[in-house]
Amino acid sequence: MSESRGLCNCCAKFLISAGLTVLIVWISFRFIRPRYYIVSFDRPTTNSSSLFASFQLEIENKNRQIGIYHDEIALTLLAGPNLSSPLSHFVVPAFYQGHLKTAEKPGNFSGISGWNRTRLAGESVFRVLANSAFRFKVLGWKSRHHAVSVAGDVEVDADGKKTATKGIRLSSSAAVVAPVVPSTFFLYALLILT
């Protein structure tokens, strides 16, 4: 009787120890997705001869033990009705970000000329859309690719500077959804009806 009780106590201690170990490892190595912010934004005014809008993208890695491999980040500057007309693009090259690090990536939305430049100087709200993918790195292991599509609205004053004092967080709730192609809609309707 005492041998079986000792065996049960030993098994219970082992299960509790294993559970606590798994909990500690999970807390230490749980994945937190990177956070993207526009910390500065400056568009040319109507009096300016500049043909680009400058910005600084900040990416936070809040993971304690996990690095992040970022693929190229494709940024698009949008304006106009419903903030859906693209004005310019910029690509941040792929890079590695260590744990608990903040990456600052300055850039310029260039190639803005003619009609788009006039529009750019007259707009007071812009949307910055970021599309990319990343992988987590734990010790020597790399995770699968995780796609990211985030956007944020940037308000500017008469001088073309960002009005918000803090960085503007890019989130998936503000991302632009591509319109449904009519032929795709027709195929879905056909499948539902049959």
Side-chain angles (χ1 to χ4, degrees):
M1 189 73 163
S2 63
E3 286 181 19
S4 63
R5 182 177 290 169
L7 184 60
C8 285
N9 284 341
C10 188
C11 286
K13 287 178 185 177
F14 172 76
L15 288 174
I16 291 170
S17 297
L20 286 173
T21 303
V22 167
L23 179 65
I24 290 168
V25 168
W26 180 78
I27 288 172
S28 297
F29 291 107
R30 69 188 167 109
F31 299 132
I32 301 170
R33 295 174 71 87
R35 295 179 182 171
Y36 301 82
Y37 297 89
I38 296 293
V39 292
S40 71
F41 186 88
D42 188 10
R43 68 137 167 86
T45 60
T46 50
N47 303 340
S48 171
S49 61
S50 176
L51 296 178
F52 60 84
S54 61
F55 68 90
Q56 181 155 326
L57 177 69
E58 192 174 271
I59 305 161
E60 286 184 355
N61 179 4
K62 297 254 186 195
N63 293 292
R64 292 186 179 276
Q65 307 288 333
I66 302 166
I68 299 175
Y69 283 100
H70 293 272
D71 290 355
E72 287 185 341
I73 302 170
L75 296 163
T76 305
L77 181 65
L78 304 163
N82 302 322
L83 299 174
S84 58
S85 301
L87 294 178
S88 183
H89 303 281
F90 182 81
V91 176
V92 175
F95 66 98
Y96 173 74
Q97 183 178 21
H99 61 278
L100 293 175
K101 301 283 185 200
T102 300
E104 295 177 351
K105 300 294 179 181
N108 295 315
F109 288 113
S110 57
I112 302 168
S113 59
W115 183 74
N116 278 345
R117 185 176 175 277
T118 306
R119 253 180 80 200
L120 178 71
E123 293 288 342
S124 61
V125 180
F126 298 91
R127 176 166 289 167
V128 177
L129 176 65
N131 289 300
S132 186
F134 62 88
R135 292 178 294 161
F136 293 111
K137 178 191 175 243
V138 181
L139 303 173
W141 174 80
K142 294 177 190 171
S143 74
R144 65 178 177 82
H145 278 86
H146 300 275
V148 61
S149 181
V150 292
D153 296 341
V154 180
E155 288 186 42
V156 296
D157 58 19
D159 295 328
K161 308 276 189 213
K162 178 175 72 75
T163 58
T165 54
K166 293 184 177 181
I168 296 167
R169 184 169 178 189
L170 306 182
S171 66
S172 58
S173 63
V176 176
V177 178
V180 175
V181 178
S183 61
T184 308
F185 179 77
F186 177 74
L187 287 174
Y188 283 133
L190 189 63
L191 284 172
I192 291 171
L193 293 174
T194 56

